[in-house]
Amino acid sequence: MYQRQKVVPLAEGRILEIGIGSGLNFPFYDTSKVECIWGVDPSEIVRKKASKRASDSRLVFEFLESSGNGISLESNSIDTVLVTYTLCTIPDVVQALGEMQRVLMPTGKLVFCEHGLAPDEDVRRWQNRLNPIWKRFGGGCHLNRPIPELIEQGGFKINTMETMYIPGWKPACFNYWGTATQK
């Protein structure tokens, strides 16, 4: 939650949250900077949980029945795309990032907070060994995705990025967070 608290307030204007889940980011939005939030999640069950949580909020939400690989919004219609702990589970993450870029206004930004490939060889070795099993039991989550490379392959230029191990089991706890804009 501490990582979410760092990045979610950076989202502003018309926001698309990819992998909105049950709404864990809702308390961290800066209500003075938010016009509307569109939420995408492939799971109807968690979208319903998010919808219930959204009804208790002062923010305006709309939930989309689409996935990151096919966003049902017009091109150049979003000020901020927010992804938190989502890029690890999207099957074709580069295609999904391309969709995020498509809906983002030319002056817009991608705000991200993700776990992924660690810089330490010993930890990376464990991530690579465990990944085939982990993704089967972890809802498709990949331990070892090279987040900065994927963001750039998706058509973005990273403007700011910080990294660190957050507390916990090292193979799942190397975090990347920051902002990116269209190339």
Side-chain angles (χ1 to χ4, degrees):
M1 295 308 267
Y2 182 71
Q3 292 300 93
R4 293 173 192 276
Q5 189 176 3
K6 290 179 188 178
V7 299
V8 175
L10 301 175
E12 56 191 337
R14 297 164 50 96
I15 300 164
L16 172 63
E17 185 175 338
I18 302 293
I20 200 162
S22 63
L24 293 176
N25 289 333
F26 295 0
F28 304 114
Y29 279 106
D30 181 344
T31 57
S32 69
K33 297 191 312 185
V34 175
E35 183 179 328
C36 181
I37 301 166
W38 283 267
V40 171
D41 201 290
S43 170
E44 184 178 350
I45 293 168
V46 295
R47 276 196 318 270
K48 284 182 180 179
K49 288 180 183 179
S51 181
K52 185 176 185 313
R53 185 174 274 172
S55 67
D56 297 331
S57 173
R58 293 183 302 159
L59 298 168
V60 176
F61 288 91
E62 185 174 329
F63 298 93
L64 304 175
E65 292 185 36
S66 58
S67 70
N69 291 38
I71 301 167
S72 56
L73 289 172
E74 292 182 23
S75 298
N76 304 316
S77 62
I78 297 296
D79 297 301
T80 305
V81 174
L82 174 69
V83 289
T84 58
Y85 303 108
T86 302
L87 297 180
C88 64
T89 60
I90 297 174
D92 188 341
V93 70
V94 174
Q95 178 189 349
L97 284 159
E99 264 300 276
M100 292 175 219
Q101 184 189 43
R102 179 188 67 77
V103 300
L104 195 62
M105 291 182 182
T107 57
K109 64 184 171 188
L110 171 72
V111 176
F112 62 92
C113 182
E114 299 288 334
H115 72 90
L117 190 63
D120 303 304
E121 184 60 39
D122 290 341
V123 177
R124 276 197 312 266
R125 196 174 305 116
W126 277 108
Q127 287 177 318
N128 293 331
R129 282 183 194 147
L130 296 170
N131 195 62
I133 297 164
W134 183 266
K135 65 183 179 181
R136 267 189 270 159
F137 295 103
C141 174
H142 292 73
L143 292 170
N144 60 352
R145 285 203 166 157
I147 299 302
E149 287 177 32
L150 293 170
I151 289 172
E152 290 175 353
Q153 288 173 17
F156 290 94
K157 177 184 82 169
I158 295 174
N159 297 320
T160 64
M161 186 174 73
E162 295 184 57
T163 63
M164 70 179 277
Y165 286 101
I166 62 171
W169 181 56
K170 278 196 168 187
C173 289
F174 189 74
N175 274 220
Y176 302 86
W177 69 96
T179 63
T181 51
Q182 296 184 32
K183 286 184 180 176

